[in-house]
Amino acid sequence: MPQLIMKFGGTSVADIDRIKNAAARIKAETENGHDVIAVVSAMAGRTNELNASVEAISPFFDAREYDTVVATGEIVSAGLLTLALQEANVPARSWQGWQIPILTSAVHGAAQILNISTDAINSKFNEGMRVAVVAGFQGVTSDKRVSTLGRGGSDTSAVALAAAFGAKRCDIFTDVDGVFTADPRLVTKARKLDRVTYEEMLELSSLGAKVLQTRSVELAMRHKVRLRVRSSFNETNGTLVCDEEEIMENKAVSGVAHSRDEAKVTLLSVADRPGIAAAIFGTLSEASVTVDMIVQNISASGRTDLTFSCPVNQIKRAEKKLRELEKGQDVNFDSLVFDTEVCKLSVVGIGMRSQSGVAAKMFQALADYGINIKVIATSEIKISVLVERKFMELGVQALHDAFDLHHG
Ligand code: ADP
Ligand code: ASP
Ligand code: MG
């Protein structure tokens, strides 16, 4: 039975040499006595190319056919890695989502895994297969259409397989040494964390740290999967994502996340009465606009301003829906104001639960560089702000310095 899940991201299977390198790492684990499920992403850049091909035919594509196209990148990687393993005398076989099967919801492009059958793969392990190479990011719906799990979804495939097979570890091999205190491509002084809690990782991922897909962290937390993020280019230990009890000391802030392409929408002077917010956010959710921060002013004379944020590429959809709503006379407002030049900066840490002063320190750090805060949102373990996009890099650096994150 498979004890280890080893997931290789796009850069880790970017060319034949890297595929051979992944095969060698997997082989070493089989020599340690482990049967392995390897999960692969498409070769770096491939999903973007496939995406562009679909959009070149029509921006209003059929999501089922979009999935048919973009799922092919992972199929190629799975076949090539299997061949490399066979060449290294490791009994291996490739598996596409439908062959396992990995059953998903029918939300094409952002499907959720509903069930993974272990029988077919297990019976091959019983026959002597040592490695099952699974095409990540994909599954099959109950009406037998190919589905995909959203960008970065191979992480989720890996964690879901770890949970289904009861694997003792799930290693995510990527192009950085682990989870850092900030994106190491933005902050050169960022420090690799040895451990990070599921809760913190969940916030960091959902606030923009794409090193793990958010859904994969949710699943790992729910099923207590031992999740490790590590480099496919060296033998270092990486970062363990684990329970709070396994971490000795909690600084107030563990990391800074950023999300570049945000937008802010304000409805000026909407009626302040029951049902208005429900109508506005109901119509936005029908159009699959992923609303994040929401701020409403105190109301003078029964009318108020309402601001929300969403990804910048959803702004057209949001505007169309809000105009329709206005025409229907259910909700009226003076005007719509868009700000498409914003980004989100966040600080995250479970230590925030017991330490005060984090917000003040964060706001001061930004103020010291003349960075104006447009919207603020908080939870128990995070504070997020929207600021002008041109300040993104400066803002992340300023926060990293203010909380002294380069020192362990
Ligand atoms: P893969 O193709 O292996 O899935 P991704 O590109 O999806 O890799 O994720 C790895 C990238 O995540 C890194 O190259 C890094 O730039 C980015 N990243 C963002 N925030 C962080 C962080 N806090 N720690 C590590 N990497 C981060
Ligand atoms: N290939 C897909 C993507 O680029 C899935 C993944 O790499 O996790 O989003
Ligand atoms: Mg990824």
Side-chain angles (χ1 to χ4, degrees):
M1 296 305 114
Q3 296 95 355
L4 282 188
I5 311 292
M6 302 171 75
K7 180 255 171 178
F8 293 87
T11 35
S12 308
V13 292
D15 56 36
I16 299 303
D17 280 346
R18 289 190 180 172
I19 289 176
K20 286 183 180 167
N21 171 58
R25 292 196 78 137
I26 298 166
K27 181 176 179 165
E29 289 295 357
T30 61
E31 285 168 349
N32 289 336
H34 294 128
D35 282 349
V36 175
I37 295 183
V39 178
V40 283
S41 286
M43 295 163 94
R46 189 65 191 133
T47 310
N48 287 346
E49 286 167 14
L50 292 165
N51 212 42
S53 302
V54 171
E55 292 197 352
I57 291 181
S58 166
F60 304 105
F61 50 77
D62 176 334
R64 283 165 295 192
E65 300 312 328
Y66 165 86
D67 277 353
T68 305
V69 176
V70 294
T72 59
E74 272 69 13
I75 298 174
V76 174
S77 312
L80 291 174
L81 179 57
T82 306
L83 288 169
L85 285 160
Q86 290 175 352
E87 201 57 23
N89 295 318
V90 182
R93 191 54 71 201
S94 70
W95 301 81
Q96 297 173 30
W98 63 271
Q99 292 171 307
I100 299 174
I102 296 178
L103 183 70
T104 74
S105 67
V107 184
H108 287 275
Q112 292 215 355
I113 296 178
L114 302 175
N115 185 57
I116 296 182
S117 309
T118 53
D119 296 353
I121 287 184
N122 273 340
S123 77
K124 282 285 175 203
F125 275 120
N126 287 334
E127 288 169 20
M129 176 181 71
R130 300 298 312 281
V131 182
V133 182
V134 173
F137 181 52
Q138 59 174 264
V140 65
T141 65
S142 59
D143 57 356
K144 299 208 164 42
R145 305 303 315 176
V146 172
S147 55
T148 65
L149 310 177
R151 297 307 302 266
S154 298
D155 298 330
T156 301
S157 308
V159 173
L161 285 159
F165 284 87
K168 67 177 182 188
R169 239 173 50 215
C170 179
D171 285 353
I172 305 287
F173 290 89
T174 185
D175 56 3
V176 287
D177 285 356
V179 179
F180 282 69
T181 49
D183 186 342
R185 294 187 201 288
L186 212 67
V187 180
T188 45
K189 282 195 290 182
R191 179 174 51 86
K192 190 201 64 113
L193 298 164
D194 291 332
R195 293 174 179 229
V196 66
T197 66
Y198 292 115
E199 287 88 347
E200 287 168 319
M201 195 62 236
L202 194 57
E203 291 282 11
L204 288 169
S205 295
S206 67
L207 295 166
K210 69 165 181 167
V211 62
L212 285 174
Q213 197 196 34
T214 309
R215 183 92 186 107
S216 73
V217 187
E218 261 168 40
L219 275 182
M221 183 154 98
R222 177 143 27 102
H223 297 283
K224 295 274 174 266
V225 171
R226 268 188 109 65
L227 186 60
R228 192 179 279 280
V229 178
R230 54 197 305 193
S231 168
S232 61
F233 307 125
N234 62 46
E235 299 287 336
T236 50
N237 268 337
T239 302
L240 181 69
V241 187
C242 59
D243 274 326
E244 199 173 336
E245 294 76 56
E246 294 186 66
I247 297 183
M248 301 303 278
E249 171 240 12
N250 288 318
K251 293 174 82 172
V253 170
S254 304
V256 180
H258 68 277
S259 170
R260 185 178 183 281
D261 297 310
E262 301 287 325
K264 178 165 83 75
V265 183
T266 303
L267 293 89
L268 287 175
S269 187
V270 280
D272 187 13
R273 58 177 161 77
I276 296 294
I280 291 169
F281 294 104
T283 197
L284 291 170
S285 99
E286 274 166 28
S288 302
V289 175
T290 34
V291 171
D292 178 24
M293 301 156 141
I294 301 175
V295 184
Q296 186 181 309
N297 271 352
I298 52 161
S299 123
S301 68
R303 297 190 81 78
T304 182
D305 297 341
L306 189 73
T307 298
F308 68 87
S309 72
C310 69
V312 77
N313 61 5
Q314 298 180 3
I315 205 88
K316 289 239 157 28
R317 234 154 57 206
E319 179 174 13
K320 185 163 172 275
K321 275 289 177 184
L322 292 171
R323 300 269 182 227
E324 280 169 17
L325 190 68
E326 194 187 19
K327 273 204 201 97
Q329 308 266 301
D330 290 337
V331 176
N332 60 57
F333 41 84
D334 277 0
S335 58
L336 280 178
V337 182
F338 297 98
D339 185 349
T340 54
E341 295 294 321
V342 290
C343 69
K344 183 168 58 185
L345 309 180
S346 310
V347 296
V348 173
I350 46 170
M352 241 181 253
R353 285 184 191 141
S354 53
Q355 296 182 41
S356 59
V358 177
K361 196 169 184 176
M362 177 182 193
F363 302 158
Q364 189 59 52
L366 296 172
D368 288 345
Y369 285 92
I371 302 175
N372 190 35
I373 297 169
K374 293 172 176 245
V375 182
I376 302 168
T378 64
S379 81
E380 209 187 2
I381 65 163
K382 72 118 196 272
I383 303 169
S384 297
V385 295
L386 283 189
V387 302
E388 261 186 273
R389 190 172 301 135
K390 68 176 184 200
F391 292 130
M392 185 179 85
E393 214 164 320
L394 182 64
V396 174
Q397 304 266 7
L399 296 175
H400 200 269
D401 284 348
F403 291 98
D404 207 21
L405 295 182
H406 48 286
H407 292 118

